[in-house]
Amino acid sequence: MSLRLDRANKEVQRCVSLIIQTRLNDPRLDPMIYVSEVNLTPDFKYCKIKIALDNDNQEKLKEMIEVLQKSEGFIKHELATLVKMPSIPKLKFEIDKGTSATIRINEILKSLNLHSEGKDSNE
């Protein structure tokens, strides 16, 4: 990936995150939502934005993705005021499956840890 594209990805990630946290006033959006990754195409026409949530509530996350997709016009308008780019890309919001898998694995490891600690204290 080129340095220019990498910098653009990071700046769009920072700005979209700021817009979601401070400028979107929708009660359906959880305050623990965050932008985990942004992938711009080299021509800056399309942008995939991966969204994650600190818990593993997939239904709530799907609802929030729909809200964000419906708010694409507003987010693009706000992004245009924050970032100087050749063109403002079409935004596509997706669930970050890697983050939800990590959360699930951590829960499993915690439950395994509790069981092994309980056996040690009984012996």
Side-chain angles (χ1 to χ4, degrees), residues 3 6 10 24-26 51 53 68 73 80 83 97 102-103:
L3 181 61
D6 189 41
K10 288 178 182 175
L24 276 177
N25 296 324
D26 195 312
I51 302 294
L53 194 58
L68 291 171
V83 178
K97 294 180 176 124
T102 303
I103 291 169

Side-chain angles (χ1 to χ4, degrees), residues 59-76:
E59 291 303 316
K60 184 160 177 81
L61 193 53
K62 285 178 186 174
E63 179 186 354
M64 286 190 280
I65 294 292
E66 289 173 13
V67 169
L68 291 171
Q69 201 60 56
K70 288 179 183 175
S71 303
E72 179 195 7
F74 175 77
I75 295 171
K76 280 177 67 171

Side-chain angles (χ1 to χ4, degrees), residues 101-119:
T102 303
I103 291 169
R104 181 71 183 130
I105 289 170
N106 284 336
E107 288 174 358
I108 291 170
L109 289 174
K110 284 179 186 176
S111 69
L112 291 175
N113 233 357
L114 291 175
H115 294 302
S116 65
E117 288 176 359
K119 289 179 183 176

Side-chain angles (χ1 to χ4, degrees), residues 35-70:
V35 177
S36 62
E37 187 180 338
V38 169
N39 293 314
L40 278 162
T41 57
D43 61 358
F44 294 106
K45 298 219 186 244
Y46 299 96
C47 180
K48 281 186 193 174
I49 301 172
K50 293 189 179 183
I51 302 294
L53 194 58
D54 277 349
N55 60 38
D56 199 27
N57 190 345
Q58 291 297 314
E59 291 303 316
K60 184 160 177 81
L61 193 53
K62 285 178 186 174
E63 179 186 354
M64 286 190 280
I65 294 292
E66 289 173 13
V67 169
L68 291 171
Q69 201 60 56
K70 288 179 183 175

Side-chain angles (χ1 to χ4, degrees), residues 21-36:
Q21 295 294 329
T22 62
R23 298 185 182 174
L24 276 177
N25 296 324
D26 195 312
R28 295 173 290 180
L29 293 177
D30 192 305
M32 299 306 286
I33 191 173
Y34 63 95
V35 177
S36 62

Side-chain angles (χ1 to χ4, degrees), residues 87-103:
S87 64
I88 300 302
K90 175 162 179 45
L91 307 177
K92 182 174 188 244
F93 294 93
E94 297 179 344
I95 295 174
D96 186 359
K97 294 180 176 124
T99 304
S100 61
T102 303
I103 291 169

